[in-house]
Amino acid sequence: DSGVTQTPKHLITATGQRVTLRCSPRSGDLSVYWYQQSLDQGLQFLIQYYNGEERAKGNILERFSAQQFPDLHSELNLSSLELGDSALYFCASSVSGGVETQYFGPGTRLLVL
Amino acid sequence: AQSVTQPDIHITVSEGASLELRCNYSYGATPYLFWYVQSPGQGLQLLLKYFSGDTLVQGIKGFEAEFKRSQSSFNLRKPSVHWSDAAEYFCAVDNTDKLIFGTGTRLQVFP
């Protein structure tokens, strides 16, 4: 158990819908990362937040957005969902967001029908 | 651009045999390297990491990895594989705040 929690574990929705994935980092960690794992793209970095502020952005679609709240939990919002958005979405956290170990949550499996 | 290559998509070994999973990286500066393991339906668990110092790094579950700058490699090894090691293994490099992952190697273990 990494100490990073993600909810829900599974999510099934329809195209065009909007969903919110939630992540709680390890106690004491200030930085949260979001990754997408799909069969065709592999594991890809989406976005990083540090202490409430966006710090780095990767291959995140404009339909996707994220935020980190004062209690340090983070939410990833996916809108106008397409079939290709079906994937496993991981959250990771680290202490300060520099070059250090990232600890991963169990992931949220999203299926868009 | 920074990248990580895992040349072996799928490896099959017998239980008790030795294992080496290959990882090559392309990175301009000093690399910070990781190996993660993902069991079916599970998240990513850190096996070991290399930041600096001794180029032979010990990790959990009896795994080790050796950093070879001249070969741009960070291969993962285990002297004797157990059936519970069957999983997917990912090599990653830290690219200033984000991890760049290889495509993974799926390990199958036969009794």
Side-chain angles (χ1 to χ4, degrees):
Chain A
D1 186 355
S2 67
V4 178
T5 60
Q6 289 186 248
T7 56
K9 289 191 72 173
H10 303 277
L11 202 46
I12 302 175
T13 188
T15 54
Q17 295 298 305
R18 172 189 169 95
V19 297
T20 297
L21 313 184
R22 182 189 168 103
C23 168
S24 292
R26 294 187 318 156
S27 177
D29 284 0
L30 299 178
S31 198
V32 169
Y33 309 76
W34 286 97
Y35 291 85
Q36 180 194 57
Q37 184 179 34
S38 63
L39 284 174
D40 54 344
Q41 300 286 335
L43 262 165
Q44 288 208 344
F45 167 75
L46 294 178
I47 197 164
Q48 179 203 4
Y49 277 81
Y50 172 73
N51 205 21
E53 300 290 325
E54 181 184 306
R55 175 173 274 192
K57 222 168 184 176
N59 299 322
I60 187 166
L61 299 171
E62 284 192 13
R63 301 183 284 108
F64 295 1
S65 65
Q67 54 184 327
Q68 186 179 27
F69 294 86
D71 68 351
L72 300 177
H73 90 271
S74 178
E75 293 181 356
L76 179 67
N77 300 296
L78 315 176
S79 62
S80 303
L81 285 167
E82 302 175 0
L83 297 178
D85 298 327
S86 296
L88 192 52
Y89 291 85
F90 285 112
C91 168
S93 73
S94 68
V95 175
S96 64
V99 177
E100 56 188 2
T101 301
Q102 296 180 26
Y103 294 90
F104 282 75
T108 293
R109 185 169 295 279
L110 173 67
L111 179 59
V112 182
L113 299 175
Chain B
Q2 294 81 8
S3 65
V4 175
T5 302
Q6 293 181 248
D8 305 306
I9 296 173
H10 188 201
I11 282 184
T12 301
V13 299
S14 298
E15 192 170 18
S18 64
L19 173 70
E20 182 169 29
L21 302 183
R22 297 182 291 165
C23 171
N24 293 97
Y25 65 89
S26 171
Y27 193 72
T30 301
Y32 300 95
L33 297 158
F34 303 80
W35 275 99
Y36 284 87
V37 61
Q38 184 179 23
S39 298
Q42 302 295 314
L44 293 163
Q45 181 182 22
L46 178 70
L47 284 176
L48 46 79
K49 62 189 178 189
Y50 172 78
F51 282 4
S52 64
D54 194 347
T55 56
L56 187 61
V57 180
Q58 300 298 320
I60 63 171
K61 303 185 180 188
F63 285 93
E64 66 178 26
E66 187 170 12
F67 170 62
K68 292 185 178 180
R69 185 185 297 275
S70 62
Q71 298 176 20
S72 298
S73 69
F74 188 55
N75 294 347
L76 182 71
R77 301 193 296 246
K78 186 169 184 178
S80 177
V81 170
H82 188 263
W83 64 266
S84 61
D85 293 324
E88 186 140 23
Y89 291 79
F90 292 93
C91 181
V93 64
D94 190 304
N95 179 22
T96 54
D97 300 350
K98 64 178 182 285
L99 290 174
I100 296 175
F101 285 91
T103 49
T105 297
R106 182 167 296 280
L107 174 66
Q108 193 170 7
V109 181
F110 279 114

